[in-house]
Amino acid sequence: MGRITLDQVSKRFGDVEVIPPLDLTIEDGEFTVFVGPSGCGKTTLLRLIAGLEDVSAGQIRIDKQDATMVPPSKRGLAMVFQSYALYPHMSVRKNIAFPMRMAKIPADEPTRRIDAAAKALNLTDYLDRRPGQLSGGQRQRVAIGRAIVREPSAFLFDEPLSNLDAALRVGMRLEISELHERLETTMIYVTHDQVEAMTMADKIVVLHAGVIEQVGSPLELYHTPRNKFVAGFIGSPKMNFIEGEEAAKFDAHTIGIRPEHIEVSGEEGAWSGVVSVSEHLGSDTFFHVHNTGLAETITVRAGGEVGFRHGDLIFLTPRSDVIHRFDAQGLRIA
Amino acid sequence: MARAITPQRKALNTALAWGVGLLIFFPILWTILTSFQTEAQAISDPPVFLFFDWTLENYAVVQERSDYGRFLWNSIIIAGGSTILGIIIAVPAAWSMAFVPSKRTKDILLWMLSTKMLPAVGVLYPIYLIFIRMGLLDTKIGLVIVLMLINLPIIVWMLYTYFKEIPGEILEAARMDGATLKEEVLYVLTPMAIPGIASTLLLNVILAWNEAFWTLNLTAAKAAPLTAFIASYSSPEGLFYAKLSAASTMAIGPILILGWFSQKQLVSGLTFGAVK
Amino acid sequence: MATQDSQPADGLMAAPAASGKPAASDLGGTRHARAAARLMMAPAVILLLGWMLVPLTMTLYFSFKKYLPLRGGDLGWVGFDNYVRFVSSSAFWPSVQATLVIVGGVLAITVVLGVGLAILLNQPMWGQGIVRVLVIAPFFVMPTVSALVWKNMFMDPVNGLLAHLWKAFGAEPLVWLTQASTQSIILIVSWQWLPFATLILLTAIQSLDREQLEAAEMDGAPPHKRFAFITLPHLSRAITVVVLIQTIFLLSIFAEIFVTTQGAFGTKTLTYLIFQRVLESQNIGLGSAGGVYAIILANIVAIFLMRIVGKNLDA
């Protein structure tokens, strides 16, 4: 079981309120991602759930039990840290065994669990090595192994992939997703990378300055962002925002249009501009368009190869059915 | 990647460095050599350097005159005891400062170091009185306590700088893994800090071994360590070079050997984390 | 999750969650961590506080008394008499001067020679490890031994090695500890502390980024300018540490003087003067007043040095 409920939880560091009171429920077995720019309070929120920081007010419940004052060692959660936090003086085997040693699980049960975890994580050949002799990806897997053997009610991941190179990151992302499919345990995953959030999450919690901006499935956030912040944060490249006259035509203070929802043409269109930078990836082509009179830059994503270059005149047509409208406060107009 | 150095240049460096090294080491070498000479050879004019009749006679005489073993034992107990006691008290304190720092942590550290500047002589008489009152004068336990107190700031400081190098996330991981505070310190922090604790231990054993104010002023016969053993040779009737040399060699021998074996660890500890 | 019988869940149940107070030995959120930290710091802080305050209070108490243990004991309060007498004694200012000269002299010699030696030892050579062992050796020699060896075997005007050396060149041997007493003390103490300075400075030099030096060389800086503008600034932090640590120890040097000159011939430092008042003249009141002066002097130096170290701590 692993249903985690935050009830009016807040956190202050001295006079600074980093997390104003918030409510959040994470259902059992759910893969929840906390995402937001750095300094948004997502790691602090995770550490509050872990018990590594005190809440300043409010209540944290794990499976209906009040865990607010329970020390981290007794919350039954496992955490994978950004730096992996492996014990450098212990072999991989001892690292993975440590939680069981602390819990004083008797006899061969630990050995069985270690072997199972090592097999699942491809670590069998490395069990007698020290963390210092492993690659980044292997260390990451040891950290996950250490978390698995605890059989926790929930896993907490604190930006676990940010120290890996790009190729490894994609691989580990898949491994963690597969792990979740297999274990069906609650997972809370903190990242600043919206791609990780979109690909892994059942539920995304977008945080900004300690405040939850929106909670929803990845596609909900993509299709119906509740406000300008979520709209701009989810999706890559970023959504274009246009204010003023053009927005007024849609009865909005600001309109947002995603780069992939703009058609390009050399002859005609609703808007026109000059290509400043064009990025040709083969599968897609990105244009950064200036002098549109709408915003400083309009970013456009065209499928396949489209042959405009720097300095070309280009015509743009937004797909009117996917234009997002926001009011002066930045809130979505339904 | 270093540029090739000409053999001539290297030979010059070598000669120069060895020359300086031997010059610095010479007083010790000379003392050790003299300890194996007869008194006549020791004051012969011109002095003899290597070619003399080696004898162990001086060591026998020194041993007869003052029981070396007792002083050595006292030194070991006092230096070792004060250091170990100091480390036991300092590890929790350094843990607190390194991993649960507060606004006052730095002030407390600096204050601790400033107690080290308290001139011993300024408080000699009060300590003397307290020692008499508590029956600690000329006892090993008394000196263990005093030397522990004078070295405690250095021990805390050194351990603090080592602990600060250990990422806090690892201790938090231990907490998440279900470790209690005691288990965290015992199974995770201490093993990781062993190199640091070892060099702290070594440096403070050396400092305590060589401490010559309190050990001279608070002991008479029973608890006197090697500093007192050698000081007894400063009186005029002790003025026999070969015997003085033998006694000196006996006093510094153990710590010299210990120091040489552990110089790598010592260097890192000596810099107090301020020099990387 | 398949099983829910493992320790963590039990632990959660077992923890008195309702009362909000976990077992004392567990480190929970930071509230618990802070409480534990205070508890764990207490022994060290209390011991040092006691070590500082108790004798200090007693010293202050005695300093206002006429107190001669061998000649009548406690002879009553005398106000600031002891303070006035201590300062007006003809030995006071010379002792302050001797202290500063010896500390300053040793600092200057060890830092300058230490930098030179560190640079030398950092060059490629054969047998570097052995040379380092030779250079570090004096640090392990107890002060009483080094003072005795220097006094008798080197500085003795008749049989000392230096006397032989002087005679070999046809010069009149020096009576070191009389004619050049302060310099002799500085020499002995410098010999003891040079290894410390050298080692720290060597560590610092080894951490100097070679590319910086190479960049300066590409920019056309000759060796002495590379030393002045790159190596020396890089060493400033290490030099600070050397000065700080050495000052702490040098202010209270005792054995070197006790064994050699017994404070004669202008080598009576403040420490030694107080020692004489307390132990030799058995004038506790006067010695205690001197102790208070020494504490004040040490604190002036301490505040000055702490500022520097405090900055270094932040860096």
Side-chain angles (χ1 to χ4, degrees), chain C residues 162-177:
Chain C
L162 291 175
H164 289 304
L165 194 68
W166 254 240
K167 275 184 278 186
F169 287 100
E172 185 65 25
L174 235 55
V175 189
W176 284 85
L177 290 166

Side-chain angles (χ1 to χ4, degrees), chain A residues 240-293:
Chain A
N240 296 296
F241 291 110
I242 298 162
E243 291 178 6
E245 219 176 290
E246 193 65 26
K249 284 188 203 163
F250 292 87
D251 260 346
H253 178 269
T254 309
I255 55 166
I257 180 82
R258 295 196 184 277
E260 55 270 39
H261 296 154
I262 300 175
E263 313 277 350
V264 296
S265 161
E267 288 91 38
E268 53 170 6
W271 306 329
S272 68
V274 178
V275 175
S276 159
V277 176
S278 61
E279 297 168 317
H280 301 264
L281 304 181
S283 58
D284 297 286
T285 312
F286 297 99
F287 299 108
H288 302 271
V289 183
H290 285 184
N291 301 336
T292 53

Side-chain angles (χ1 to χ4, degrees), chain A residues 51 54-55 66 69 71 74 76 151-152, chain C residues 1 3 8 12 17 28-31:
Chain A
D54 292 328
V55 298
D66 179 3
M69 299 302 283
K74 302 273 193 234
E151 300 187 347
Chain C
M1 210 163 88
T3 53
L12 186 57
T30 55
R31 214 170 286 128

Side-chain angles (χ1 to χ4, degrees), chain C residues 103 137 153 250 263:
Chain C
V103 172
M153 296 171 57
L250 294 178

Side-chain angles (χ1 to χ4, degrees), chain B residues 118-135:
Chain B
L118 196 72
V121 72
V123 295
L124 172 60
Y125 193 72
I127 297 294
Y128 191 77
L129 278 187
I130 293 170
F131 263 53
I132 292 176
R133 198 67 53 83
M134 300 179 74

Side-chain angles (χ1 to χ4, degrees), chain C residues 101-117 182-194 197-198 201 242 246 250:
Chain C
V101 167
I102 289 175
V103 172
V106 174
L107 284 179
I109 289 175
T110 50
V111 168
V112 172
L113 291 184
V115 170
L117 212 51
T182 309
Q183 291 90 324
S184 301
I185 302 272
I186 291 176
L187 173 66
I188 297 171
V189 179
S190 298
W191 177 74
Q192 292 178 86
W193 283 95
L194 182 59
T198 305
L201 293 165
V242 169
Q246 286 202 118
L250 294 178

Side-chain angles (χ1 to χ4, degrees), chain B residues 9-276:
Chain B
R9 175 82 192 281
K10 195 169 172 181
L12 186 72
N13 287 338
T14 307
L16 209 59
W18 275 84
V20 176
L22 284 172
L23 186 69
I24 289 173
F25 184 65
F26 184 74
I28 298 170
L29 178 67
W30 186 249
T31 306
I32 295 171
L33 287 176
T34 306
S35 74
F36 292 107
Q37 298 173 345
T38 62
E39 288 297 347
Q41 285 166 332
I43 57 166
S44 66
D45 186 10
V48 285
F49 187 54
L50 274 176
F51 306 101
F52 54 83
D53 307 317
W54 294 70
T55 169
L56 286 172
E57 183 198 322
N58 303 306
Y59 288 90
V61 174
V62 168
Q63 173 60 26
E64 202 171 305
R65 181 180 141 175
S66 37
D67 182 7
Y68 172 70
R70 194 168 48 83
F71 289 98
L72 178 69
W73 180 241
N74 285 344
S75 270
I76 291 172
I77 293 293
I78 291 166
S82 65
T83 303
I84 289 167
L85 191 62
I87 285 180
I88 290 172
I89 294 169
V91 165
W95 172 89
S96 304
M97 292 178 180
F99 299 113
V100 196
S102 72
K103 272 172 277 173
R104 283 167 303 160
T105 298
K106 209 177 89 176
D107 296 333
I108 294 176
L109 259 176
L110 289 178
W111 163 73
M112 282 190 171
L113 203 62
S114 78
T115 65
K116 184 82 195 137
M117 298 206 185
L118 196 72
V121 72
V123 295
L124 172 60
Y125 193 72
I127 297 294
Y128 191 77
L129 278 187
I130 293 170
F131 263 53
I132 292 176
R133 198 67 53 83
M134 300 179 74
L136 289 173
L137 204 61
D138 199 19
T139 61
K140 286 194 275 290
I141 182 72
L143 276 182
V144 165
I145 291 169
V146 166
L147 293 192
M148 182 274 285
L149 286 169
I150 65 168
N151 283 340
L152 190 57
I154 300 233
I155 297 177
V156 172
W157 190 283
M158 285 178 70
L159 289 178
Y160 166 77
T161 58
Y162 283 115
F163 286 0
K164 253 185 32 175
E165 307 265 300
I166 294 172
E169 277 200 347
I170 292 185
L171 300 188
E172 289 181 347
R175 251 169 263 171
M176 292 302 294
D177 285 345
T180 61
L181 175 55
K182 199 183 97 199
E183 288 165 335
E184 173 189 327
V185 171
L186 217 59
Y187 299 134
V188 180
L189 175 66
T190 307
M192 282 179 72
I194 279 201
I197 292 176
S199 53
T200 308
L201 189 105
L202 283 165
L203 181 69
N204 283 283
V205 163
I206 292 170
L207 288 177
W209 188 277
N210 292 341
E211 203 288 325
F213 183 79
W214 295 110
T215 51
L216 288 179
N217 283 313
L218 294 178
T219 62
K222 271 195 355 260
L226 286 170
T227 43
F229 161 82
I230 196 70
S232 70
Y233 286 84
S234 65
S235 46
E237 70 268 28
L239 253 190
F240 296 101
Y241 284 9
K243 288 176 194 66
L244 171 66
S245 298
S248 299
T249 307
M250 289 159 95
I252 64 172
I255 217 69
L256 197 60
I257 291 163
L258 180 71
W260 275 343
F261 274 116
S262 57
Q263 55 150 332
K264 277 228 174 69
Q265 288 84 328
L266 268 179
V267 174
S268 71
L270 275 173
T271 58
F272 293 88
V275 179
K276 293 279 152 52

